[in-house]
Amino acid sequence: MRKVEICFSPELIHLHSLQGKIVVVVDIFRATSTMISALANGITEIKTFADLEECRSMKSQGYLIAGERNGLTAPGFELGNSPVAYLNEAYSGKKLAMTTTNGTLAISKSAEADEVLIGAFPNLSATIQYLQGKEQDVLIHCAGWKGMFNLEDSLYAGALVKSLESSHEPSEDGALAMKALFEKEGHDLKGFLSKASHAKRLQNHNIESDIDFCLTLDLFSMIGKVENGTLTGSEI
Amino acid sequence: MRKVEICFSPELIHLHSLQGKIVVVVDIFRATSTMISALANGITEIKTFADLEECRSMKSQGYLIAGERNGLTAPGFELGNSPVAYLNEAYSGKKLAMTTTNGTLAISKSAEADEVLIGAFPNLSATIQYLQGKEQDVLIHCAGWKGMFNLEDSLYAGALVKSLESSHEPSEDGALAMKALFEKEGHDLKGFLSKASHAKRLQNHNIESDIDFCLTLDLFSMIGKVENGTLTGSEI
């Protein structure tokens, strides 16, 4: 059987071996949910940046620019980090440059893996189907919140471990714990996550529709994959 | 209401503020369980060491020396890391010098806190009673396994968060997650933990009786506290 493991924070990723594995990077509220929404709605490619200025400079190269800091649209950016902004193919055909608080770091720290996918609830089943068709072990890399464990990324990881149980077994304790937690709380993700620290922060920004979107399963039959620093989508 | 939070690894403790808090250090298999067993069975004080040689040198100062590396008694040491070795007041009246793989690091990285306690299932209720009598917020510092999340320390943390719910509320997501996990799995700790990576490692060392001891609740009405680098027990 193949293996599946979870890394709860980019600050712990150095303890894991990435070589020969497929890494799934997850930042549910909201970076990876937004990326999947954008790709499923016609954005042709996404480049991610840690630095605001570097991201902003991509506008001159024809990119739509999206920037968020601490949950709000960064000054001078066309878009923030809302996944619903891309619905109805609002920006179809465009290229996107994004910078976010936690997600970008997790992607850049995953580069040694065989493949890097972007995970979100709206394409959970597509990601599972893709992973089950591959030979490699899987590592779920949670972006976390400023280096700390967060509930929404960890529950997504638990959902993925649970869904992979016929093909991949947990190889460390984090995967066992989050599978059990998803079994208990997965029937009411929104209710459970409403207690989470990050969801509380987001509630202050009036983005109920974003939260609903980020917790909706299987809207899209598409995976997101990072290759040579660029993220693209593929129908599955 | 006071707050309670969990740090899952000494590698993440720099993300938490310790000042003004009581830290409970936990390394269930087996450092902190062994410390509580030793203190409850008449050991008068414990000093902990990261370095094997430094610990060994305490023998010349009249200390009993206990050393473990990767789950086994280190060469030249009188005792390893078995909590049952201290039962029936086998070493009552002695001072103990200990070095362990993960627990010592978590203790030394907790020094900025107002108070540092040692937590284990055999004195869970005593620790809760002590914490509820104090004004400070609580941080549970899991020793983990070589920097990674581990199930037994995290479940103890969940048990503590659950037991403190009338007086302390979770201030971050890890505490929420582990409270929920303990609610699901706490009725059969041994069954659930038998899947854990560390329990599997310990099974290879034929220490079933140690595992049983480490998962037994409330054998002792005593807390363990570190002050000026020395750990002592107090009846409560």
Side-chain angles (χ1 to χ4, degrees), chain A residues 5-6 8-9 11-12 14-16 146-152 170-181 183-185 192 195-198 200, chain B residues 5-6 8-9 11-12 14-16 146-152 170-181 183-185 192 195-198 200:
Chain A
E5 68 195 281
I6 300 175
F8 289 114
S9 160
E11 299 242 1
L12 297 176
H14 63 283
L15 302 171
H16 297 258
K146 296 182 178 178
M148 289 174 67
F149 176 98
N150 86 28
L151 202 49
E152 60 274 14
S171 63
E172 51 78 48
D173 286 358
L176 281 170
M178 291 307 118
K179 175 170 174 280
L181 188 64
E183 286 166 355
K184 177 167 188 269
E185 303 293 350
F192 186 57
K195 305 175 202 164
S197 54
H198 197 176
K200 283 182 185 160
Chain B
E5 67 194 280
I6 301 174
F8 289 114
S9 160
E11 299 242 1
L12 296 177
H14 63 283
L15 301 171
H16 296 258
K146 298 184 178 177
M148 287 173 67
F149 176 99
N150 87 26
L151 203 49
E152 61 274 15
S171 65
E172 52 77 48
D173 286 359
L176 281 170
M178 291 307 118
K179 176 171 173 280
L181 188 64
E183 286 166 354
K184 176 167 189 264
E185 304 292 351
F192 186 56
K195 304 174 201 166
S197 54
H198 198 178
K200 283 183 186 157

Side-chain angles (χ1 to χ4, degrees), chain B residues 64-216:
Chain B
L64 189 67
I65 57 171
E68 170 255 315
R69 282 297 179 270
N70 298 315
L72 298 172
T73 301
F77 280 75
E78 296 163 293
L79 289 159
N81 196 14
S82 172
V84 302
Y86 299 88
L87 296 182
N88 305 314
E89 307 201 334
Y91 300 96
S92 185
K94 304 243 184 200
K95 296 185 288 184
L96 177 66
M98 272 183 83
T99 175
T100 67
T101 314
N102 304 292
T104 303
L105 181 66
I107 292 172
S108 66
K109 284 195 167 186
S110 300
E112 281 182 23
D114 267 18
E115 295 185 19
V116 179
L117 304 184
I118 297 301
F121 284 110
N123 78 333
L124 179 65
S125 291
T127 300
I128 289 158
Q129 195 183 327
Y130 181 82
L131 292 172
Q132 287 184 325
K134 306 289 284 188
E135 293 300 310
Q136 290 100 325
D137 294 337
V138 172
L139 185 151
I140 307 159
H141 188 173
C142 298
W145 178 257
K146 298 184 178 177
M148 287 173 67
F149 176 99
N150 87 26
L151 203 49
E152 61 274 15
D153 298 349
S154 304
L155 272 175
Y156 171 88
L160 202 54
V161 174
K162 176 73 181 165
S163 300
L164 289 172
E165 65 186 344
S166 66
S167 54
H168 297 66
E169 63 183 354
S171 65
E172 52 77 48
D173 286 359
L176 281 170
M178 291 307 118
K179 176 171 173 280
L181 188 64
F182 183 77
E183 286 166 354
K184 176 167 189 264
E185 304 292 351
H187 67 283
D188 180 23
L189 279 178
K190 194 178 177 191
F192 186 56
L193 284 170
S194 68
K195 304 174 201 166
S197 54
H198 198 178
K200 283 183 186 157
R201 278 190 291 274
L202 291 179
Q203 279 161 11
N204 296 333
H205 300 140
N206 285 317
I207 51 169
E208 183 82 5
S209 60
D210 280 9
I211 293 179
D212 286 343
F213 178 90
C214 293
L215 300 181
T216 303

Side-chain angles (χ1 to χ4, degrees), chain B residues 29-79:
Chain B
F29 294 150
R30 295 167 286 168
T32 58
S33 304
T34 296
M35 291 168 182
I36 294 301
S37 177
L39 293 170
N41 281 280
I43 292 285
T44 57
E45 63 166 63
I46 303 174
K47 287 190 186 295
T48 59
F49 297 89
D51 184 64
L52 269 181
E53 288 315 309
E54 206 183 338
C55 186
R56 197 168 359 222
S57 74
M58 296 299 287
K59 190 168 164 65
S60 65
Q61 294 179 45
Y63 282 74
L64 189 67
I65 57 171
E68 170 255 315
R69 282 297 179 270
N70 298 315
L72 298 172
T73 301
F77 280 75
E78 296 163 293
L79 289 159

